[in-house]
Amino acid sequence: MNLFDVVGPIMIGPSSSHTAGAVQLGRISRALLGEPPVFAVVRFYGSFARTGKGHGTDKAFVGGLLGMGMDDERLRNSLILAREAGLEVTFDPDREERPNRHPNSVTAVLTGASGRKVTVSGASIGGGSVIISRVDEYDVSFTGEYCVFIVLHRDTPGMVSRVTGELAKSGVNIAQMKVYRSDRGGHAIMLIETDQPVDPETARSVAGLHDVFGTMSADRV
Amino acid sequence: MKPIGTIRELLEIAGETGEKCSSLFLAREAEATGATREEVREKMARTLQVMRQSVEKGLRPGTKSVSGLTGGDAWRVREAGRTGKLLMGGFMNTACARALAVAEQNAAMGRIVAAPTAGSCGILPGVLLTVGEAVGAGEKELVSALLTAAGFGRVIALNASISGAEAGCQAECGSAAAMAAAAAVELAGGTPEMSAEACALALKNFLGLVCDPVAGLVEVPCVKRNAFCAAAAIVAADMALAGVKSVIPPDEVISAMREIGLALPASLRETSEGGLAATPTGKKIAWELFGKE
């Protein structure tokens, strides 16, 4: 723990968990879509759904979807700014108690102008920190503390070395990584957290590898 | 350098080196993060700047929170203070009005510095900017004071908590008061020992304080509590500067805060199921705002 974890972050109020954390979740979701969203269906759960309005959680999350940071004073007007930017947002809160869900959590389905879609679930875990728990149909776990590079691929031998080989060529250092798969030889997902962002060219090289279906990335928030 | 995980360790190093708390915390931060001391000071100067802006904005009339529950009291207290009708002198009036101002900005989706949290964000700016003016401190001294505040807060976070959900409001506003008191002592020219005593005295005053926000919002009682905590931090700093000591040593007070936090029922740790949130009026407000008790 460092001094700026105690006096900080600089943020838009009123709540680090319900406002700053919601911005971070929106930012990561936008990054994973890989383009500005034009449609968003946002489902808040638990305390996000019950007290989110008074905390500006809706404005904070949408601000994040627009690419704003947690200290951006435009956050309070983000719902209007979203309309101006051509982003249509539907809120679909789930106010029921769900013991298996984190109380401050959200699932968002985003669609970009190109038609690309992504579904992201995550939770705000306090102090503005967040955890992304699901991307599309894959259970994952990352915080946005590092740059994130996600590779969707077929579960075949040698995948990890081919992907990490491309990252090594571009000088990207891997902080940690994990591979998840649906079943042997089936769909799999590589979750790679890196110190440097993966540049678009490297991402394209990885996407072009045999048995790779696609990639997603998000800079640290 | 040696670790600074407790107040005792801090005072040992300060005793050996003769340095101020702020210098020791700065050195540790630079070593731990790989940043230079200048970079750390620059980042803290930016933090100070945001605090100043939040005070300035918050003292303007017309502030209203998103829910409409709070706002306008900082201006009210400041204006009434100017007329000379209030009991607090100008110094205390300014500190309290500033603490309210920042807390109201927070509730109104203004930009603030969490110190240590958003709910307790008014206490450090209220105390340090006002004490700084009183003692003629410059930018450099105020940045040092923030380093001292953050360093004490870090020790509290390591050994107890700075989260209301974990340990109640004593961990948020109580910690902020303790941090502010320790830093105010350094601003006023006190020794590291006096800072440590001020930290203990302030924290003791808030032991047991629960987190029971009405409707789950960082507004009632959070906003006004920032003013009370600012005042208490100044009382603690003054006592310490006068040579008053805490009978219970600072590290033991911090441990007691942790124990008390663990013993608090969940209903009084930011769940809004008890205390003020569960009063008839608290429930009515929640119902009116969110359609659910």
Side-chain angles (χ1 to χ4, degrees), chain B residues 52-143:
Chain B
R52 283 188 197 281
Q53 289 164 346
S54 59
V55 164
E56 193 191 309
K57 279 197 175 174
L59 284 173
R60 293 178 196 158
T63 301
K64 210 71 193 146
S65 68
V66 180
S67 71
L69 278 178
T70 56
D73 289 337
W75 181 79
R76 206 164 277 129
V77 169
R78 188 81 191 102
E79 287 304 302
R82 285 184 212 273
T83 65
K85 284 181 191 161
L86 300 189
L87 304 174
M88 289 192 290
F91 171 74
M92 273 308 221
N93 174 270
T94 304
C96 291
R98 284 174 168 166
L100 280 175
V102 179
E104 286 183 349
Q105 273 297 295
N106 180 58
M109 289 193 85
R111 186 191 288 138
I112 54 94
V113 179
T117 60
S120 56
C121 65
I123 298 160
L124 282 183
V127 171
L128 298 185
L129 294 176
T130 310
V131 171
E133 279 168 10
V135 302
E139 178 85 359
K140 187 167 174 278
E141 288 77 28
L142 282 171
V143 168

Side-chain angles (χ1 to χ4, degrees), chain A residues 120-151:
Chain A
V120 182
S121 296
S124 172
I125 56 171
S129 299
V130 299
I131 284 186
I132 300 294
S133 56
R134 201 168 162 88
V135 176
D136 290 335
E137 66 268 43
Y138 299 99
D139 289 322
V140 295
S141 178
F142 64 90
T143 60
E145 211 175 310
Y146 297 93
C147 302
V148 170
F149 186 58
I150 293 173
V151 183

Side-chain angles (χ1 to χ4, degrees), chain B residues 80-293:
Chain B
R82 285 184 212 273
T83 65
K85 284 181 191 161
L86 300 189
L87 304 174
M88 289 192 290
F91 171 74
M92 273 308 221
N93 174 270
T94 304
C96 291
R98 284 174 168 166
L100 280 175
V102 179
E104 286 183 349
Q105 273 297 295
N106 180 58
M109 289 193 85
R111 186 191 288 138
I112 54 94
V113 179
T117 60
S120 56
C121 65
I123 298 160
L124 282 183
V127 171
L128 298 185
L129 294 176
T130 310
V131 171
E133 279 168 10
V135 302
E139 178 85 359
K140 187 167 174 278
E141 288 77 28
L142 282 171
V143 168
S144 295
L146 280 178
L147 291 167
T148 295
F152 274 89
R154 179 178 167 273
V155 170
I156 294 171
L158 290 174
N159 297 286
S161 172
I162 51 171
S163 153
E166 271 174 12
C169 193
Q170 56 168 1
E172 296 202 14
C173 285
S175 296
M179 292 156 62
V185 164
E186 188 176 304
L187 269 179
T191 63
E193 285 78 15
M194 288 173 177
S195 282
E197 296 298 334
C199 168
L201 291 166
L203 191 56
K204 277 198 299 188
N205 187 52
F206 293 108
L207 289 181
L209 196 65
V210 303
C211 180
D212 53 356
V214 168
L217 301 176
V218 191
E219 296 198 52
V220 179
C222 325
V223 169
K224 297 183 186 86
R225 187 166 287 161
N226 274 263
F228 288 113
C229 290
I234 293 169
V235 175
D238 254 4
M239 281 203 262
L241 285 164
V244 174
K245 288 188 161 61
S246 169
V247 173
I248 308 298
D251 287 317
E252 293 184 36
V253 173
I254 293 169
S255 296
M257 193 260 266
R258 186 192 62 227
E259 293 303 315
I260 292 165
L262 289 171
L264 283 180
S267 63
L268 300 175
R269 283 186 280 111
E270 212 179 319
T271 54
S272 297
E273 286 166 2
L276 294 172
T279 57
T281 301
K283 286 195 209 169
K284 183 166 161 269
I285 290 169
W287 177 259
E288 284 166 2
L289 286 172
F290 305 125
K292 190 174 160 115
E293 281 180 17

Side-chain angles (χ1 to χ4, degrees), chain A residues 1-20 23 47 49-61 70-78 95-97 104 125-127, chain B residues 25-26 28-29 32-33 40 43-44 46-47 50-51 57 66-67 105-119 124 146-147 149-151 153-154 157-158 162 179 215-219 270 290 292:
Chain A
M1 172 169 295
N2 296 317
L3 295 187
F4 296 97
D5 299 324
V6 181
V7 175
I10 296 170
M11 55 171 273
I12 301 301
S15 160
S16 53
S17 56
H18 285 66
T19 320
V23 176
S47 172
R50 288 200 297 276
T51 69
K53 239 185 158 58
H55 283 122
T57 305
D58 47 355
K59 296 173 180 171
F61 188 80
M70 64 160 83
D71 66 342
D72 195 319
E73 286 187 308
R74 295 173 301 165
L75 283 175
R76 77 175 82 171
N77 300 320
S78 71
R95 293 191 176 84
E96 297 306 308
E97 294 288 337
N104 294 331
I125 56 171
Chain B
F25 290 134
L26 175 61
R28 196 219 73 92
E29 181 76 3
T33 62
V40 175
K43 194 171 174 189
M44 202 52 106
R46 160 88 182 123
T47 302
V50 174
M51 285 183 172
K57 279 197 175 174
V66 180
S67 71
Q105 273 297 295
N106 180 58
M109 289 193 85
R111 186 191 288 138
I112 54 94
V113 179
T117 60
L124 282 183
L146 280 178
L147 291 167
R154 179 178 167 273
L158 290 174
I162 51 171
M179 292 156 62
L217 301 176
V218 191
E219 296 198 52
E270 212 179 319
F290 305 125
K292 190 174 160 115

